Amino acid sequence: MKNTVAVIGACWGDEGKGKITNYLSEKADLVVRVQGGDNAGHTIVFNGNTYKLHLLPSGIFDPNIKNVLGNGVVCNPKGLMQELDEIKKAGFEGKNLYISDRATVLFDFHKELDAIHEERLGTRKIGTTKKGIGPAYTDKASRDSIRMCDFVSKDFKDLYRNVLIAKNDELVHFGHEPIDFETSYQEYQRIADIIRPMVVDTVTLLNDEYNLGKKILFEGAQGAMLDIDFGTFPYVTSSNTISGGICTGSGLGPSKIGEIIGITKAYTTRVGEGPFPTEMLNDEEELGSIIRERGHEYGATTKRPRRVGWYDAAVMKYSANINAFTGLSLMLLDVLSGLKKIKICDYYELDGKKLFAPCARIDDYARCKPHYIEMDGWDEDISSIREYDKLPLNCRKYIEKIESLVGVKVIIVSVGPDKNQTIIRKELF
Ligand code: IMP
């Protein structure tokens, strides 16, 4: 048996991965982030308190869990320190953090370059989180980046000086103030000295732990439709958010990945720009606002209101294909209680043709019209139900329709924000 479970956002992120990761992390020995950086925002409700994590893995509150930032992560040292300080204030030590020596370091100039890039795109802007994610991955691909092993080494000062000369040229070119080397170097060096003991060879660590039969939980960030290769390009993030990213972002090979759980909301949301075929617009806009308020659909990182739409089974089928999901976790089902009718998109129509997956060309995708199946809703409050069979019949019909369209079983149903407001149909780990 493979003791590894991956939690992957199935659509455009914000599906509620934090809750499921937190629930599963109770049984895990390790919790691992493999991609992205502090653009992610995971809300964790723990012992009645709410925590917002951006970079730290969700197992950080349990000293018995090893929390790993894998090689695929772009790590902002200042953001990391801020989060570590916050959890310390809340009484957690944070000593159970292991940072890959191969992870890419994200600096302040990356954030500025992110903002510059967005400004330059004007009306075609991506709507990034402005956390510097794209520029940090760009530097990695062009082999200009500083990695964690360099950041904590004695060579950091020289490496940073060289990188900053080039980046300051760019900043000045676009009318920004250059960053003062000495001040910023001192700030980073102070952080490097603190985190040095945490920077290790996580590839060996993870493979050793796997071989010992330890339970490893992979905590995905963002979602499959924001994947740099498979998402709604260019309105995507800069990493591989799909299950394949686990291997390249951690150093654990494909045959070692066991369960792959797609986290999917009972409706769909998206933040930032880009096509969203099932978005509730025009005469459905008011309903979208009601769902936004009920589901607290505001970005954890940027606080932006999320765009709201109907369940998109065409996107989900595509997502199930590229991720090879072994199960789905259906989130925020309680938010739909009280709706008379609920719609599910089963395919798109484009130029008189039926499409069962998003198209590669963004302009084509923007022209796709969703085809809907309409289902009867349910009135009952489901937030205290803990057994699948006790859910209202129409609610079960809705779940089963999703299963048949997507072709993957719903193994977890979430009926409220608290950890215990969860229906488990298959135990993991
Ligand atoms: P970036 O990752 O900051 O470059 O942003 C690129 C796109 O991904 C934008 O549309 C963001 O809104 C979106 N995005 C990035 N991180 C998240 C997330 O954690 N949840 C949802 N959307 C995200």
Side-chain angles (χ1 to χ4, degrees), residues 12-14 39-41 126-129 133 222 226 236-237 271-272 304:
W12 282 282
D14 309 316
N39 51 347
I126 292 161
T128 73
T129 58
I133 307 298
Q222 292 87 45
L226 292 170
V236 291
T237 191
V271 268
R304 287 177 289 180

Side-chain angles (χ1 to χ4, degrees), residues 91-160:
F92 300 95
E93 282 216 70
K95 283 193 175 155
N96 47 344
L97 179 66
Y98 300 77
I99 305 167
S100 170
D101 46 8
R102 291 175 166 86
T104 300
V105 183
L106 186 154
F107 293 100
D108 283 345
F109 59 74
H110 287 125
K111 291 208 266 183
E112 286 204 44
L113 291 171
D114 195 349
I116 289 171
H117 188 245
E118 285 282 88
E119 264 166 47
R120 292 184 64 216
L121 285 173
T123 54
R124 292 185 304 116
K125 75 176 192 306
I126 292 161
T128 73
T129 58
K130 301 218 175 102
K131 294 282 182 179
I133 307 298
Y137 277 115
T138 302
D139 281 356
K140 176 180 176 177
S142 59
R143 290 143 294 168
D144 283 331
S145 54
I146 293 178
R147 305 205 292 179
M148 269 296 166
C149 52
D150 301 316
F151 183 63
V152 298
S153 81
K154 60 177 177 26
D155 295 334
F156 171 60
K157 189 171 188 177
D158 289 339
L159 289 167
Y160 184 59

Side-chain angles (χ1 to χ4, degrees), residues 17 32-42 54-57 68-76 83 99 102-106 129 131-134 136-137 140 219-223 226-228 236-242 245-246 248-250 301:
K17 294 179 290 289
V32 186
R33 280 273 314 263
V34 298
Q35 43 70 227
D38 55 353
N39 51 347
H42 292 173
H54 298 285
L55 198 51
L56 291 175
V68 178
L69 293 177
N71 55 279
V73 169
V74 286
C75 180
N76 170 359
E83 275 184 54
I99 305 167
R102 291 175 166 86
T104 300
V105 183
L106 186 154
T129 58
K131 294 282 182 179
I133 307 298
Y137 277 115
K140 176 180 176 177
E219 176 174 22
Q222 292 87 45
L226 292 170
D227 184 280
I228 181 85
V236 291
T237 191
S238 302
S239 62
N240 281 118
T241 56
I242 62 155
I246 292 168
T248 54
S250 75
T301 301

